[in-house]
Amino acid sequence: MTKVVTLGEILVEIVAEGRGDGFRQPVHLLGPFPSGAPAIFIDQVAKLGQPCGIVSCVGDDDFGWVNLKRLGDDGVDVKAVEISPAYPTGSAFVRYRDNGDRDFVYNIKNSACGQVRWTDAVSELLEECGHLHVSGPSLFSARIIEMTTKAIESVKSNGGTVSFDPNIRKEVVRDPEVRSALAAMLARCDTFLPSGEELTLLTEASAPEAAISEILGLGVTAIVVKDGAEGATYHDADGTSSAPGYPVDEVDPTGAGDCFDATFITCRLQGRSVAESLAYANAAGARAVGIKGPMEGTSSFAQLDALRSGADAVPGKRLTSLISRRRGGGPGAEPAGVTSVCSAHPVVVEAAMRQAAADGAAVLIEATCNQVNHQGGYTGLTPAAFRDQVYRTADQIGFPRRHVILGGDHLGPNPWRHLPAEAALAQAEAMVAAYVTAGYEKIHLDTSMGCQGEPDHLADPVTAERAARLAVVAEAAASAATAPRYVIGTEVPVPGGSVTEIEHLEVTRPAAVAATFEAHRQAFAAAGVEAAFESVIAVVVQPGVEFDDRNVVVYQPERAVELSAALAGMPGLVFEAHSTDYQPPQSLARLVDDGFAILKVGPGLTFALREALYALDQIATALSPDWSEHSLMAEMEREMLAHPGYWQSYYRGEPDQQRVLRHFSYSDRVRYYWASPAAQEAVQRLLARLSGASIPGPLISQFLPALYSRVTSGAVDPTPRDLALEAVRDVLRVYTDACRPAKTRGQLSGPGLSR
Ligand code: ATP
Ligand code: MG
């Protein structure tokens, strides 16, 4: 295993217990805590089980002892830490102000750590070193700069690598000597780990994109930009990938960057992928800010796994933070969206999890009232059974269950609307209770439809009162493990997409959203569930996107300007857009920017899957002409003709037009047939026919041209299953990109990045 070494200050930190300004009067103090950026870094490396050591100097005093004991106990090699008989160990006294700023009294330059020298022990440690990490503030004297430069040469001549975190404020960089030392480090390092605006501090370029090319041009192979609670973004010559931060309550920001750096570097040295390394590093940063004391928040893999699996997360908080990045409008509150996967097809679910894993993100999977309910729905699945089916897929591919967020869509009386209202609502209550009890966190209350003897569409006050009734049930079913977040609003087409051809599509009027919102607020208060109203995260609206069998209504931002502006009147909320399937990539991105932050997609995913399966069917036919007897398409045709219930009343036109629509319609009603035994058998037969020998490249080029270059480059295996998964992921990648903050969009995280 590669030994990681760093060089620089070891200090103690002493913290004022109360907040206030500086140290001009006596205050209660807490400490000494082991500290110093390089020391925190190397302690974090040790906690991850990687061999490591530090070059430094401490005084012959208790402050030195506290540090050496901690580092040594955690597994850091401290043989190159000299003990100075003449100088005291460095120290920093810190007092937090009310606004979170900090006042410091430092004793660093004139402390033992300023006396660090090149000793035999240093030579010995650097001989063993395979990776050297440099932290900008450690370069505070000409002697230390010289030593660091020599250390870099030594490590590089042994074939090792170097990482560099500037960790420095703008003002300091104005000093020409410091600037040239930092610039030299940047030019010599392999991995550059700036945070926020540090990216452009040492470059000619002032725009981030230009700075990235400039830095990569220097020979730096990887850049990781840390972005506080937002997470981090990785750049290399092949592209960019981002990973979101983990939601925690920030207690003490000191050391987050060092723990992040140490974890990212260690994970990469241990051969983990960029995505996994970013996820672990974000978890290490999150843990560090969640724990008081500079070095107290370093973590083992077990602790990071616990945080990543959400064991320590506040229930419901994941969803809120996922969805409400734009809340508060503070710095970093860039528009960002969430993809909601509305499909029960196991291949689609697997593709969504694989994509989420590559993105370092959670996956949101939703079921609808007709499909899954306490009586079974048309899939025969209860909410608990659907959850278990999703979890089985997660377990099979090693996707952490806690990264699965489940949602229930259109929960209300819809499946029982033929009954009198009271009877239908009693069923809706039982359904909502079943969803919440099974751990579904995102609950869309949709009570706008009339029941027996009522108008089709109910007035706001009645709808809201019924929604509040369901919220009462949901709150009662909520537990410590699940705190539901609600979505309200109903101005959407019926579940499953539009029935008739779209002629005129109305964008929701801002006044209508305001009225819906206000009616729900009042009804929730009247029902005694004001707190549940605080958990409303989104309102479903029609931004002007829809599709029918053969048409897609593409988002026209100018039609939604006023609707988008109405969000300002609903602080903390986002809009949810349904039927975003088949929208062009730039329209999805624009929807997110305009506040339609939850993008639901379903038929578009099974559509992509069906295309891939039919392409594989053609490949099988090309390989053996007698395959046509077993053809998947022919089997699906037989199945749909034998059981016309899911298409007949939906697909209009001459029999020949209906035949085409059965297979090739944006509504993709063929998706209802994949679960049938005959269809499953036909798909299995196809996959079996094409498994074994690999599919010849020319046939992939002919029938699955979009995947061809990935197959030839080796990024995707030419197995039928992997090709189908990849086809679905291509749709999901467009969503992933649209859901990023605008400044990080445009570089789809392709398979090249999931190394
Ligand atoms: P430092 O102050 O230690 O130098 P930094 O400025 O280098 O920190 P930040 O971007 O503040 O780096 O934080 C580093 C990483 O820690 C982030 O990329 C993120 O993963 C995590 N992190 C920081 N703040 C938070 C937070 N409030 N919530 C969750 N994660 C956080
Ligand atoms: Mg930093």
Side-chain angles (χ1 to χ4, degrees):
M1 274 168 107
T2 309
K3 189 158 187 169
V4 179
V5 171
T6 192
L7 185 155
E9 68 279 13
I10 292 179
L11 330 165
V12 289
E13 185 172 308
I14 297 169
V15 198
E17 286 194 313
R19 291 183 173 236
D21 291 336
F23 291 97
R24 296 190 175 194
Q25 64 285 316
V27 290
H28 286 287
L29 298 170
L30 194 64
F33 291 109
S35 189
I40 298 168
F41 172 92
I42 212 67
D43 190 67
Q44 176 58 77
V45 173
K47 287 258 182 103
L48 298 175
Q50 192 75 10
C52 59
I54 183 167
V55 177
S56 189
C57 182
V58 295
D60 187 8
D61 52 31
D62 281 353
F63 288 176
W65 186 88
V66 160
N67 272 295
L68 288 180
K69 171 96 171 73
R70 169 70 65 85
L71 294 173
D73 285 354
D74 287 344
V76 179
D77 182 344
V78 293
K79 66 172 171 253
V81 180
E82 199 176 4
I83 299 178
S84 162
Y87 287 84
T89 302
S91 61
F93 289 72
V94 190
R95 187 166 186 201
Y96 280 82
R97 295 201 194 135
D98 280 334
N99 66 3
D101 289 352
R102 290 172 286 181
D103 287 312
F104 289 98
V105 175
Y106 286 121
N107 169 28
I108 296 176
K109 280 193 189 176
N110 298 313
S111 75
C113 61
Q115 305 306 310
V116 62
R117 300 182 301 154
W118 196 286
T119 59
D120 288 346
V122 174
S123 297
E124 200 184 310
L125 183 65
L126 287 169
E127 263 320 297
E128 300 158 5
C129 168
H131 181 91
L132 183 76
H133 178 74
V134 179
S135 173
S138 305
L139 306 169
F140 56 76
S141 74
R143 196 148 61 94
I144 296 178
I145 293 171
E146 194 191 313
M147 242 181 108
T148 306
T149 311
K150 190 171 157 193
I152 292 177
E153 294 317 318
S154 150
V155 171
K156 289 225 153 185
S157 68
N158 287 345
T161 49
V162 174
S163 54
F164 172 49
D165 181 344
N167 235 323
I168 207 136
R169 278 160 295 123
K170 223 184 249 157
E171 308 80 72
V172 183
V173 176
R174 295 213 185 95
D175 178 335
E177 221 167 286
V178 174
R179 191 189 162 88
S180 85
L182 293 171
M185 295 304 152
L186 176 59
R188 301 294 283 131
C189 75
D190 302 282
T191 305
F192 181 50
L193 299 150
S195 88
E197 59 175 21
E198 290 167 2
L199 173 63
T200 52
L201 277 187
L202 300 168
T203 52
E204 298 282 326
S206 53
E209 299 75 32
I212 287 161
S213 345
E214 187 180 328
I215 296 167
L216 293 175
L218 294 172
V220 174
T221 46
I223 304 170
V224 188
V225 184
K226 290 162 277 172
D227 198 8
E230 294 290 301
T233 303
Y234 174 92
H235 308 268
D236 68 11
D238 295 334
T240 291
S241 57
S242 294
Y246 291 88
V248 289
D249 292 319
E250 186 172 308
V251 178
D252 180 355
T254 312
D258 308 309
C259 291
F260 180 102
D261 295 348
T263 305
F264 185 81
I265 293 295
T266 304
C267 286
R268 291 297 280 156
L269 289 172
Q270 293 180 354
R272 293 172 204 267
S273 70
V274 167
E276 193 180 15
S277 304
L278 279 179
Y280 270 125
N282 277 326
R287 245 192 124 253
V289 301
I291 294 171
K292 204 166 187 145
M295 201 191 281
E296 310 310 303
T298 53
S299 312
S300 65
F301 272 118
Q303 287 165 325
L304 297 180
D305 284 332
L307 183 123
R308 287 185 64 194
S309 73
D312 303 337
V314 184
K317 197 166 174 182
R318 298 178 301 154
L319 189 59
T320 322
S321 93
L322 199 67
I323 288 169
S324 61
R325 292 273 157 84
R326 49 190 298 139
R327 275 184 197 198
E334 288 280 330
V338 177
T339 310
S340 163
V341 175
C342 304
S343 174
H345 196 294
V347 175
V348 170
V349 169
E350 178 176 339
M353 288 174 183
R354 289 194 184 279
Q355 189 56 37
D359 298 337
V363 68
L364 172 60
I365 296 174
E366 303 211 42
T368 50
C369 58
N370 292 311
Q371 177 199 9
V372 169
N373 60 47
H374 61 297
Q375 298 175 330
Y378 67 72
T379 56
L381 296 173
T382 61
F386 178 73
R387 173 201 64 199
D388 292 343
Q389 179 181 302
V390 170
Y391 281 174
R392 265 196 302 281
T393 303
D395 295 349
Q396 273 160 16
I397 64 168
F399 187 78
R401 286 183 178 198
R402 294 291 308 203
H403 287 199
V404 177
I405 299 175
L406 295 168
D409 209 13
H410 297 289
L411 304 188
N414 192 41
W416 305 280
R417 57 187 306 187
H418 57 282
L419 301 175
E422 263 317 304
L425 278 166
Q427 292 295 347
E429 286 178 346
M431 170 171 66
V432 165
Y435 268 95
V436 176
T437 309
Y440 289 60
E441 282 178 77
K442 182 171 174 287
I443 300 292
H444 173 210
L445 301 173
D446 180 0
T447 49
S448 64
M449 67 291 298
C451 299
Q452 194 189 85
E454 295 180 331
D456 274 358
H457 206 83
L458 302 173
D460 266 332
V462 185
T463 301
E465 188 217 303
R466 291 182 181 180
R469 214 175 128 167
L470 297 182
V472 170
V473 173
E475 290 292 291
S479 64
T482 331
R485 294 291 187 269
Y486 301 99
V487 177
I488 58 169
T490 50
E491 193 144 330
V492 280
V494 290
S498 173
V499 180
T500 49
E501 202 160 313
I502 318 158
E503 275 140 24
H504 183 65
L505 188 63
E506 294 260 6
V507 171
T508 304
R509 286 172 302 108
V513 193
T516 298
F517 184 71
E518 187 51 27
H520 279 75
R521 198 182 59 73
Q522 287 178 15
F524 275 54
V529 284
E530 291 94 340
F533 197 72
E534 294 298 307
S535 301
V536 173
I537 52 171
V539 185
V540 178
V541 291
Q542 175 50 277
V545 298
E546 190 48 276
F547 59 89
D548 62 20
D549 300 340
R550 34 196 133 193
N551 308 292
V552 176
V553 182
V554 173
Y555 181 52
Q556 293 175 272
E558 62 282 5
R559 292 188 65 205
V561 171
E562 285 166 20
L563 175 58
S564 175
L567 209 48
M570 290 175 282
L573 266 69
V574 296
F575 285 137
E576 173 168 304
H578 288 216
S579 304
T580 69
D581 312 65
Y582 314 109
Q583 293 289 314
Q586 62 276 20
S587 300
L588 291 175
R590 188 60 200 264
L591 279 164
V592 170
D593 289 345
D594 291 349
F596 306 97
I598 305 177
L599 301 178
K600 309 206 76 161
V601 56
L605 300 171
T606 40
F607 184 95
L609 174 64
R610 193 257 316 139
E611 282 186 333
L613 291 173
Y614 279 11
L616 292 167
D617 199 30
Q618 287 187 292
I619 291 173
T621 308
L623 287 171
S624 38
D626 62 348
W627 179 256
S628 46
E629 285 169 46
H630 306 291
S631 150
L632 177 63
M633 190 165 159
E635 186 58 49
M636 295 312 284
E637 176 73 357
R638 274 193 291 277
E639 187 65 15
M640 286 189 281
L641 288 175
H643 308 279
Y646 287 121
W647 62 267
Q648 204 162 42
S649 58
Y650 300 89
Y651 292 152
R652 295 162 196 216
E654 298 299 310
D656 216 40
Q657 292 170 316
Q658 285 182 315
R659 179 185 54 78
V660 174
L661 286 173
R662 276 197 291 278
H663 301 274
F664 307 100
S665 157
Y666 288 129
S667 311
D668 196 51
R669 301 198 69 86
V670 60
R671 74 183 186 279
Y672 293 103
Y673 294 86
W674 294 119
S676 78
Q680 290 200 5
E681 206 187 302
V683 171
Q684 281 319 315
R685 202 163 50 222
L686 173 63
L687 298 188
R689 167 66 186 85
L690 295 175
S691 298
S694 68
I695 300 174
L699 286 169
I700 292 175
S701 178
Q702 174 72 49
F703 296 107
L704 288 164
L707 303 180
Y708 177 68
S709 66
R710 278 171 267 177
V711 170
T712 48
S713 74
V716 174
D717 282 340
T719 67
R721 223 185 123 69
D722 282 11
L723 292 167
L725 282 166
E726 194 63 14
V728 178
R729 282 182 62 177
D730 274 352
V731 179
L732 290 163
R733 284 189 180 98
V734 174
Y735 276 84
T736 294
D737 193 55
C739 287
R740 286 192 181 126
K743 65 177 181 200
T744 60
R745 269 190 210 129
Q747 286 138 320
L748 297 184
S749 59
L753 280 169
S754 28
R755 278 159 299 179

